[in-house]
Amino acid sequence: MTIRILGIETSCDETAAAVVDGGHTILSNIIASQAESHAQYGGVYPELASRMHVESIAFVVEQALVAAHIGWDDLDAVAVTYGPGLPGSLLVGLNYAKGAAFATGLPLVPINHLEGHLYAHWLDTGAEGSAAGNLRFPLVALIVSGGHTDLVLVHGHGQYQRLGSTLDDAAGEAFDKVARMLKLGYPGGPVVEEAAKKGNPAAIDLPRAWLPGTYDFSFSGLKTAVLRIQQKYTGPVPPRFYADMAAAFQESVVDVLVEKTKAAVEEFGPNAVLLSGGVSANMALQEAARARIPLPVYTLPSVLCTDNAAMIAAAGFYRYQAGERAGWNLDIDPGLQLI
Ligand code: KG4
Ligand code: ZN
């Protein structure tokens, strides 16, 4: 019998539950996204997020079991995200997982959300560009989400060395803020990517924060530059402006992310590169990374880039095998880091 893990994820605005077999086969992957409800506020409204998690968590977990055609007795453990994330959101998933583990007698495995993003690469996705079990350490991982931008050297399971992080805004946060400035909608990443397809990145000159000699990132100067250029228009804005700005902004972010990752590859000589997190769904980023980095660059289908619970179950498999178990005193850790 292989090991079956139920993953539960509620760190931000997706209520998610999934069952993963043997650490790689997705038996079910249920995601109730709240994005439409938050769109009217232009970003995630934390109180609404936790209330919506409360309303949907029981149903989402039940659906994950139904879709996997299994019952609680067929599971080996419950893996749950305990940080980083929004406190009220994390609490809903963690308390539900504790209740379920207590009632069923299953062990509870605590998972760092960022480790989850990384372990999405151990899932069999069947998609082009996926790692499909070909991973050999060491690996360089770029984890780019709404809350984090981390460049990490992965020496082995659970063995991480941080190379660099953002000093201010996360890459996804910059996409969301610029989308709001340009009145393109929410969430920012997909709408900026769509607008950028019709724009000319060379039409507007935007800065790149190289922060030489470090693997750190900074996106707040870029965001301010976008705002300054936009504010120059006191009258009507030329129709091409939004598409050109989206393209120039995206190119600036992609350039810095890819060049820093490439530099890390040259210095540390990994076997491959992993792109994870919501921003890694961006095709311009995926294409630039593949074109410029002379190693396999593994990417994920969109649904496994953004928040999901299959990645939590995949990370849970390795933590479970390593004997990791949470006590009933496990608490949320909203500011948790990977390393
Ligand atoms: O990983 P994720 O779902 O949640 C966090 O852990 O934060 O990442 C969400 C972020 C959002 O900021 C969203 O705008 C960004 O990922 N994102 C994208 C794309 N799709 C989602 N950014 C750029 N291009 C995309 N296609
Ligand atoms: Zn995430």
Side-chain angles (χ1 to χ4, degrees), residues 301-316:
S302 243
V303 69
L304 295 175
C305 292
T306 48
D307 289 349
N308 66 88
M311 68 184 197
I312 301 304

Side-chain angles (χ1 to χ4, degrees), residues 244-256:
D244 288 343
M245 185 56 102
F249 165 79
Q250 178 174 274
E251 191 181 79
S252 170
V253 174
V254 166
D255 257 356
V256 177

